[in-house]
Each structure stands twice: as C-alpha cells, then as structure tokens.
Amino acid sequence: MTTSQNTSLFPTSTDVAATPPSGGQHVLAHGEHRAVVAEVGAMVREYTVGGRDVLVPFGEDEVAPVFNSAVLVPWPNRLRDGRYAVDGRSYQLAVSEPERGTALHGLAAWERWSAVDVAEAAVTLELALPAQKGWPFQLVTRVRYALSDAGLEVTLTTRNVGAGTAPYGVGFHPWLSTGGADLDECTVRLDAATHVTVDDRLLPTGTEPVAGAYDLREARSLADLDLDDAWVDPVRDADGLSWCLLGCPDGRTPAVWMDGSLDCWQVCSANHIPEHERYGLAAEPMSCVADAFNTGERLVRLAPGAEHTVRWGVTLR
C-alpha cells in the first residue's frame, strides 16, 4: 500500500505571507517627500509632502480602483472596438471596457513590474511585455521614479526588442488629491489651447479651439465642471513645461507637469465612475489621445531596436 505524499511546489507554512494585491512595495523618501511605488502597474500608491497627500492614495491590500498612477503602454486611453491594423494586417484585442466597446489603457497596468535599480529616493522598474493574442510585438519598458526638492519626477523609456515595427503610445494616470476637500471647492488650470471633441463612446471626432468650459488656461472652479476630456497644443512655460494644477481650499496646489516629450492631456473629474464620483482630479500626460492606433494621430511607429522616452512629474505648490 502506498502512502500519499504532498507533491505541491508551494510552501505550506502558515508563516508565509500572501503577496498583497498591489504587489511588492518600494518606499522612497527625500526630506518631506515620501512616495510608495507598487509592483503591480508600476503605480504610485502614495505620494505625500509633509504628510499632505499630493496624489489620491490607495491601500496596499487594495486593487487600484481607478488606474491610480498606472503606466499606460502600449497605448493610453481607448481603442475603438479593441481593433487596429498594422501594415495591412488586422488585430483584435480584448474589449476591457464593455460599456463603451473599447480596449482601455493598454496592456501593462495589471502586470507585475520588476525592480532593476533601487535607491533611497529613486526606483526603476521594468516590464518585458510579451507578444500575445492581438499584440504580436515585443517591448521592454523601464520607468524611473525619483524624489527631489522639486517633487516626484518620472522618466520612461520603451525599447522595441521584437522583429516588427510596433504602433505605440504612452500615458500615465495620476489622480491629484484635494487634501480632503470636496472637488467642488477646488479650481483647475490646464495649459492647453485645443480641446478634443468626442462621441458618446469618448472616442475622438475632431478638435476645436478651447472655449467656455473647456478653456482652462486660467484657473476656474470645478463646481460646474464634468470632465473626461483630452486637450492638445499644450501651452508651455519658460522651462518648456505644460501644467495641470488643482487649487485646493487649504492653500496647497497639487500639480502635474510634462515636458516637450509629451503633448496631450486627459483630465477627468470622475463624475461618472460608480463608487468613486468626484474622487479627485485625474491629470494624465499622454503622447497621443484615444484611438491613435486607428487614427494615426501622434502615433509612434517604434521600429525594431528603437527607443522612445518621455518625462513628466508631480509636485505640491
């Protein structure tokens, strides 16, 4: 008579702690600045200055509720019907936003990124995105988060390590924190001159010069604004930066900037996100707007061996 044996490859000890949903955690510190970067999605799970939230945080044991500070590659925003074509060949990706029939925010937001360089105030994470159904290309992306007196700076480089030329775009999804106030009590300023018009699926139909509720070049109240919109033609300061600023009742202003490597904004007030209405203000720097794989607008064609680098950051004024 044979005796059954435990042939499991997994440890059985109850002392082994489960990995939290957000994955491993990388804590960064510089003076009053503190950030926590999570392994899953390379998301900035927390960023505070002097204990004041700059970004809306989420728990280590929580699945990020609204793509919090996720890296959006190889496309940001929405892809119509999850379909696109490259060099005459059509591809179908999973429709991840069924209510609008789109593939949303790329393929990297729920992957576990690996740390390749860790320091007290900086960390670099890497994701090797494999070829898969609907995506026959191979990319390696590295993102570096670094704290300084100026805030949190983000630099991302993607390299095409496959054989084919890949369609490519990149974006990021930080949610600026009101510091505990209602969003209606805050103001928004966005340095951009052209608004992207959309259909009922939030897919682009054209552009228009900013006017009315979409002209945010001067700070205005968020009390009457319902935003989930993109802008192009960024207005830049003397340092070449374009800004999105959230003015708050406590006198502090969380702010996102992007340099010349990025030229599109998406701003969302979360009016229509169930259970997270008016959650904060998403200020999303992007290299292209929605459906760029199909429209070709601002689309990068990343040749084998080629790299693409972008830079942006967030701070508390």
Side-chain angles (χ1 to χ4, degrees):
M1 184 176 181
T2 60
T3 302
S4 62
Q5 296 180 343
N6 182 3
T7 58
S8 173
L9 298 178
F10 296 94
T12 57
S13 169
T14 57
D15 294 333
V16 177
T19 303
S22 59
Q25 310 290 306
H26 302 281
V27 179
L28 312 181
H30 174 85
E32 289 191 317
H33 299 255
R34 182 181 184 274
V36 181
V37 179
E39 178 184 37
V40 173
M43 296 180 184
V44 183
R45 194 173 61 74
E46 298 179 14
Y47 174 40
T48 61
V49 178
R52 202 274 197 195
D53 286 322
V54 183
L55 300 178
V56 179
F58 66 98
E60 180 178 350
D61 293 323
E62 183 182 5
V63 175
V66 282
F67 289 91
N68 299 60
S69 296
V71 176
L72 311 177
V73 293
W75 73 89
N77 215 292
R78 294 168 174 85
L79 180 60
R80 183 186 303 271
D81 303 321
R83 297 174 186 163
Y84 67 101
V86 177
D87 297 330
R89 183 168 181 179
S90 297
Y91 299 98
Q92 177 68 62
L93 289 154
V95 172
S96 55
E97 191 186 34
E99 63 271 26
R100 292 193 175 99
T102 70
L104 183 65
H105 290 334
L107 300 171
W110 305 110
E111 297 292 333
R112 293 183 182 272
W113 294 59
S114 300
V116 294
D117 188 44
V118 180
E120 181 179 359
V123 64
T124 300
L125 294 93
E126 178 182 279
L127 177 68
L129 185 65
Q132 55 197 275
K133 185 175 182 180
W135 177 256
F137 310 102
Q138 298 179 74
L139 305 179
V140 174
T141 298
R142 285 193 173 189
V143 60
R144 182 177 188 267
Y145 297 99
L147 288 176
S148 70
D149 291 343
L152 178 64
E153 182 174 314
V154 185
T155 306
L156 179 142
T157 298
T158 294
R159 181 179 178 86
N160 185 348
V161 297
T165 296
Y168 178 74
V170 58
F172 306 85
H173 212 298
W175 286 88
L176 296 176
S177 171
T178 64
D182 289 337
L183 197 61
D184 285 359
E185 301 178 83
C186 301
T187 63
V188 59
R189 194 196 93 196
L190 179 69
D191 298 341
T194 301
H195 175 247
V196 178
T197 58
V198 295
D199 61 17
D200 59 359
R201 298 168 67 186
L202 298 185
L203 294 167
T205 58
T207 60
E208 60 186 4
V210 292
Y214 302 118
D215 187 355
L216 304 178
R217 291 172 294 180
E218 298 291 336
R220 62 170 294 169
S221 172
L222 276 157
D224 60 344
L225 293 182
D226 177 359
L227 302 174
D228 195 354
D229 295 84
W231 283 259
V232 294
D233 296 332
V235 178
R236 301 191 184 275
D237 63 16
D239 296 318
L241 306 180
S242 179
W243 292 83
C244 182
L245 294 86
L246 179 66
C248 300
D250 64 0
R252 307 308 301 271
T253 302
V256 173
W257 57 265
M258 63 183 189
D259 73 4
S261 62
L262 295 159
D263 61 1
C264 305
W265 287 105
Q266 182 85 14
V267 177
C268 179
S269 56
N271 286 46
H272 308 288
I273 302 178
E275 301 181 12
H276 294 92
E277 291 87 352
R278 309 291 279 180
Y279 175 85
L281 187 73
E284 308 168 40
M286 306 181 298
S287 67
C288 57
V289 300
D291 209 30
F293 279 18
N294 290 308
T295 67
E297 291 291 328
R298 294 176 168 81
L299 182 67
V300 174
R301 288 182 56 83
L302 202 58
E307 295 184 353
H308 183 266
T309 297
V310 297
R311 188 174 73 99
W312 68 280
V314 60
T315 191
L316 183 65
R317 294 183 171 186

